[in-house]
Structures are given as structure tokens and as C-alpha cells.
């Protein structure tokens, strides 16, 4: 039965659950028309001059930007705007935003968009508060001492940045994509109206669903022995996303399906599903180099590499992948062949990706990786052979290169 916890348990030695800290301070305002409360929410946070940060022209064309700005005006809050955030957000635009905020005396940042816009706003917040070159934090040359406060009006269910402590930026001059984590940059509030996601293209919706699943799977695939409670929550979330992603293929304006996925996106990346776990994040690290080199959509890149990562590492603990196969993908229990069940689960996940028109190889994204490019990707992912990645199985530069090779 799905959700039944660990399967086919033997007499393995029990160990205590790992110590953990859980911190999720973001106020969530969820439902229809909630964007109209934005001005009031900023006033509650003490904001007096706001940078309204957004991405494409759709925020204007849909009328959302006007509604948000009107709510600021109704509260007597001044604002300036900065658009142009792209997927895989660029540090160059964030630097432009930092200078704009300094000139205008901005004391609160409002991201109107998805994860890329929120991450860009976090980057601006780091630079505005700390001074100096903001890329220093992503290059691990400095540690942030704070961040200008920010909030979000979410328009894409995907990255979970609205409730996470992390953000990822691209330095286009160096072809690098790097992340930075700090509780300073957690959003003070997140406004979530599922109706704002109605007009997303099918491809973008599918990319978002993959990102949500992967945020969960990066935590779920662990060697920790006592994770039953968190396992159950993670498995329920993954089943929910898979079920509703299929609905949205046929009914893109199904409010309940949009709502389930939007809330899942936040819960997948606010730290809850990593409590007591040693997290992995290898697939994300591998994908970051792909999107830095080829500017591919993050969710698509994750779908393209995950199956190869899974086949490369599953023997470390095949029963964990077998549990995923049964409790998430709905395959029958076969305790006598956990490795076979594990592989079937990986195949079932890839079949789901295909059902929602996501790639399961790098080739399917129109990229023909050369051996030279594989070497460059592995070198950058390993930080010039100075780090390993992964927790389920620790991967060195040669392992990374082999996974890229398998995925091409």
C-alpha cells in the first residue's frame, strides 16, 4: 500500500534519528485575490519604499503588476520597478537592481514572479545590505551579515524559493551557476493565488512540477535509517504532484490542481522534508552546470539527468529506490528482488516525465554533448576538482563525467 513506510524490513541495526533544526518564518497568504493584500503586508513589515521586481511582460499584460502597485498606492507606499528577470537569473541584472535601490532609498523588495524573480530579489537584497560585489557570496568569498527584507507574489509553482533559505544565480560572464543559502533571505511573506498560474505554458508548468518533485527527491533518497514520518509526508507530496500534473495536461485552469501543486512547491523546499535526513542534491549540482552552459530550463535539465544519476547510485541502497517504486510510483512490492523493483521505479519516473513532455536525456533537449564539454561540465561541477557532491553516494569528478555521459 502506498504510504506504508519502509518495505521488506530485515534485522538491520536501528540508529537514532539525526539531530536537525527547522526554521520556516515566512507568512503564507494563500487563495484567490490575495495579491490585493500586498500593500498591507508590506506595511506590516515596515516597508516605506519598495522595489517591485518582475520578469517578463506577462506580469504587465495580465494586469497583475497594476493590481500589486495599486495595493501599494492604497497604503501610501512608494515604489520603483525593475523587470527583465530571465530563467536562470543573471547577476548582471541584480547588480543593476542594487544600484537602483541605493539611488531610490528602497527598504523593501517585492518579487512578483516565480523562483527566478525571487532569487534575483534575494541577490539584490544581499548586495544592498552588505555592499561590495554580490557575486562574492555565490563564489564563497564572503558570508552575508544580513539581507534587505523581501516578500513575494508567486506566479509559478516550481522553485519553492518563496519559503526557502536558498537562491541560485548565473554569472553569464563566467558561465557559472551558483547558489547561496542564508536564513537572512527568507521571504517575510508569500502571496499565493493559484489563479495566477493559469496562463503558464504547458512546458513551464511541467518544468515546475519536475522541480517540485526533485526538491523532494533530493531529500528523500537518503541512507538514514529512521525517517518514517518524513518519508510518509514526502511520498504523499510526490504522489500529489504526479496526480495533479496529469490533470493539468488536460485542464490547465483546474483551480484545485493548481492549488495542490502550488502548495506542494512551497512544502517541498521549506526544509520540512529534510528534517533528520542527510540530503543529496547531486542532480541539482549536475543540472546547474548544464543550464549555465546551455541556458536550458531548470526542470527540464533535472528530468534529463535524474535517471542517469539514479542508475549510477541505486546499488548503494536499492531498497530505498524500491520503496520509492512502491510508495510513490505504485508498483507492486517484490521483496525478493529489490534491485529489480528499484530499476522499475526509475523507469516509471522517467515514463511520467515523458507523459508530461519532459526530456529524459540531454539529447532530447537538442544538445549533443561532446567529450570536451563533458570534461568542462565535470570540472566546473567539481569546482576544479576541489569538491565532491551527493550524500546518497559521494561523487567525484570522474563520477560526474560518467553521469553526464550516461545522460547524453
Amino acid at each position: 500500500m502506498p504510504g506504508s513506510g519502509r518495505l521488506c524490513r530485515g534485522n538491520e541495526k536501528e540508529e537514532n534519528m539525526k539531530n536537525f533544526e527547522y526554521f520556516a518564518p515566512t507568512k503564507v497568504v494563500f487563495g484567490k485575490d490575495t495579491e490585493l493584500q500586498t500593500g498591507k503586508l508590506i506595511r506590516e513589515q515596515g516597508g516605506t519604499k519598495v522595489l517591485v521586481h518582475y520578469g517578463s511582460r506577462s506580469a504587465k499584460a495580465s494586469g497583475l503588476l497594476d493590481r500589486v502597485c495599486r495595493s501599494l498606492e492604497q497604503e501610501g507606499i512608494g515604489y520603483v520597478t525593475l523587470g527583465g528577470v530571465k530563467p536562470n537569473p543573471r547577476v548582471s541584472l541584480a547588480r543593476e537592481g542594487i544600484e537602483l535601490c541605493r539611488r531610490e532609498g528602497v527598504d523593501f523588495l517585492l518579487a512578483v514572479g516565480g523562483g527566478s524573480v525571487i532569487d534575483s530579489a534575494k541577490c539584490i537584497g544581499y548586495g544592498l545590505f552588505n555592499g561590495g560585489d554580490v557575486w562574492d557570496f555565490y563564489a564563497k568569498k564572503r558570508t552575508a551579515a544580513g539581507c534587505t527584507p523581501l516578500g513575494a507574489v508567486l506566479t509559478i509553482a516550481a522553485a519553492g524559493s518563496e519559503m526557502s533559505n536558498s537562491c541560485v544565480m548565473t554569472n553569464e560572464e563566467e558561465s557559472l551557476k551558483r547558489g547561496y543559502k542564508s536564513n537572512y533571505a527568507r521571504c517575510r511573506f508569500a502571496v499565493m493565488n493559484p489563479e495566477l498560474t493559469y496562463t503558464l505554458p504547458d512546458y513551464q508548468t511541467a518544468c515546475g512540477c519536475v522541480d517540485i518533485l526533485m526538491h523532494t527527491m533530493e531529500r528523500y533518497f537518503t541512507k538514514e535509517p529512521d525517517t518514517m514520518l518524513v518519508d510518509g509526508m514526502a511520498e504523499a507530496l510526490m504522489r500529489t504532484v504526479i496526480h495533479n500534473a496529469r490533470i493539468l495536461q488536460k485542464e490547465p485552469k483546474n483551480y484545485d490542481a493548481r492549488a495542490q501543486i502550488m502548495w506542494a512547491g512551497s512544502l517541498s523546499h521549506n526544509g520540512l522534508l529534510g528534517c533528520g535526513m542527510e540530503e543529496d542534491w547531486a542532480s541539482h549540482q549536475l543540472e546547474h552546470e548544464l543550464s549555465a552552459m546551455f541556458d536550458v530550463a531548470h526542470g527540464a535539465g533535472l528530468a534529463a539527468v535524474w535517471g542517469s544519476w539514479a542508475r549510477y547510485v541505486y546499488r548503494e541502497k536499492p531498497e530505498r529506490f524500491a520503496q520509492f517504486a512502491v510508495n510513490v510510483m505504485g508498483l507492486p512490492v517484490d521483496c525478493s528482488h529489490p534491485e529489480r523493483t528499484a530499476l522499475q521505479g526509475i523507469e516509471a519516473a522517467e515514463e511520467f516525465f515523458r507523459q508530461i513532455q519532459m526530456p529524459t536525456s540531454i539529447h532530447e533537449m537538442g544538445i549533443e554533448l561532446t567529450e570536451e564539454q563533458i570534461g568542462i561540465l565535470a570540472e566546473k561541477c567539481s569546482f576544479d576538482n576541489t569538491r565532491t557532491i551527493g550524500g546518497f553516494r559521494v561523487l567525484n569528478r570522474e563520477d560526474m563525467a560518467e553521469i553526464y555521459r550516461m545522460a547524453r
Side-chain angles (χ1 to χ4, degrees), residues 161-210:
S161 188
E162 67 277 0
M163 287 191 75
S164 81
N165 68 346
S166 63
C167 60
V168 180
M169 297 295 293
T170 296
N171 185 326
E172 60 270 49
E173 293 178 359
E174 301 179 31
S175 296
L176 294 175
K177 186 174 180 180
R178 296 288 182 262
Y180 188 71
K181 291 183 178 182
S182 165
N183 284 328
Y184 293 127
R186 288 187 184 269
C187 290
R188 302 296 179 88
F189 63 81
V191 171
M192 301 186 200
N193 177 358
E195 290 182 325
L196 299 180
T197 68
Y198 279 1
T199 58
L200 287 175
D202 292 344
Y203 183 79
Q204 202 166 2
T205 296
C207 284
C209 290
V210 171

Side-chain angles (χ1 to χ4, degrees), residues 283-304:
S283 296
H284 265 75
Q285 297 302 319
L286 292 163
E287 194 287 325
H288 284 172
E289 303 310 326
L290 275 178
S291 52
M293 183 179 285
F294 299 107
D295 200 24
V296 298
H298 180 52
L302 288 169

Side-chain angles (χ1 to χ4, degrees), residues 79 100 115 208 274 321 356:
Y79 63 88
L100 173 62
F321 278 86
I356 61 171

Side-chain angles (χ1 to χ4, degrees), residues 123 136 143 195 204 242 283 362 396:
C123 185
D136 287 349
T143 300
E195 290 182 325
Q204 202 166 2
I242 291 169
S283 296
I362 296 169
N396 60 28

Side-chain angles (χ1 to χ4, degrees), residues 203 299-305 353-354 357-362 364-365:
Y203 183 79
L302 288 169
V305 302
F353 293 155
R354 295 185 192 101
Q357 308 303 309
M358 285 286 99
T360 56
S361 70
I362 296 169
E364 292 174 31
M365 296 189 293

Side-chain angles (χ1 to χ4, degrees), residues 73 135 145 148 270 320 333-334 378:
E73 294 164 0
W135 185 252
T148 302
N270 72 352
R320 189 66 175 171
V333 180
D334 184 356

